[in-house]
Amino acid sequence: MYKLKKINPADLEKIQVRKQDKILELTGSKFDPAKAYEMVSQETGGFKQEVDKAKEADALFVQLLEREGIALPEDKPKKGARKKSNPETDNRSRIRIQEQERSRAIEIMQLKFKLTA
């Protein structure tokens, strides 16, 4: 539900928040990622309750972490679950399917020409 719950709170200290002056001007205090993490955790009962504002904060946190190069730990796949697909393999599969569709379309057009001749 929340990607934020996977974050190691110690990693939050690595985040360099830009434009703290503007944040201070608009909100009256600087943004502290660790404090924000704790607030979201408390508001959601340890990331167990769905709260709209917490979901929004979660998405923004993920963007911030990605910008800072902090990776989220991956979920362990469940037994019998499909593995994550490889984008390169997916692209090849899509291309192959598109080629087959075009080939079939050409074959249909050739048959139509034969029928009209």
Side-chain angles (χ1 to χ4, degrees):
M1 179 183 336
Y2 293 100
K3 292 181 179 182
L4 192 56
K5 75 177 184 179
K6 299 177 192 175
I7 296 172
N8 181 354
D11 288 340
L12 298 174
E13 295 174 12
K14 299 176 189 174
I15 296 175
Q16 298 293 318
V17 180
R18 299 177 193 160
K19 301 183 181 180
Q20 283 283 24
D21 295 335
K22 187 70 172 177
I23 294 169
L24 181 62
E25 178 184 321
L26 294 172
T27 65
S29 62
K30 290 186 175 184
F31 177 70
D32 180 9
K35 185 177 178 182
Y37 174 88
E38 282 301 315
M39 288 176 64
V40 172
S41 177
Q42 288 174 357
E43 289 293 319
T44 60
F47 303 106
K48 293 177 183 160
Q49 300 169 358
E50 288 193 36
V51 178
D52 290 336
K53 286 288 186 185
K55 286 182 182 181
E56 187 178 336
D58 182 65
L60 293 170
F61 248 113
V62 170
Q63 288 178 0
L64 181 63
L65 292 170
E66 288 172 354
R67 189 189 80 207
E68 293 293 318
I70 299 171
L72 293 171
E74 294 293 324
D75 288 333
K76 294 180 182 176
K78 297 176 184 173
K79 280 191 173 180
R82 288 183 58 189
K83 292 182 180 178
K84 284 190 175 183
S85 59
N86 181 351
E88 190 173 313
T89 306
D90 288 347
N91 286 338
R92 287 185 202 148
S93 297
R94 274 192 215 113
I95 291 169
R96 188 172 34 251
I97 290 169
Q98 289 172 347
E99 288 172 350
Q100 290 171 349
E101 288 174 354
R102 288 184 189 123
S103 175
R104 287 186 191 121
I106 291 170
E107 288 174 9
I108 290 170
M109 288 174 61
Q110 288 173 342
L111 287 172
K112 284 182 181 179
F113 286 133
K114 285 181 184 179
L115 290 173
T116 58

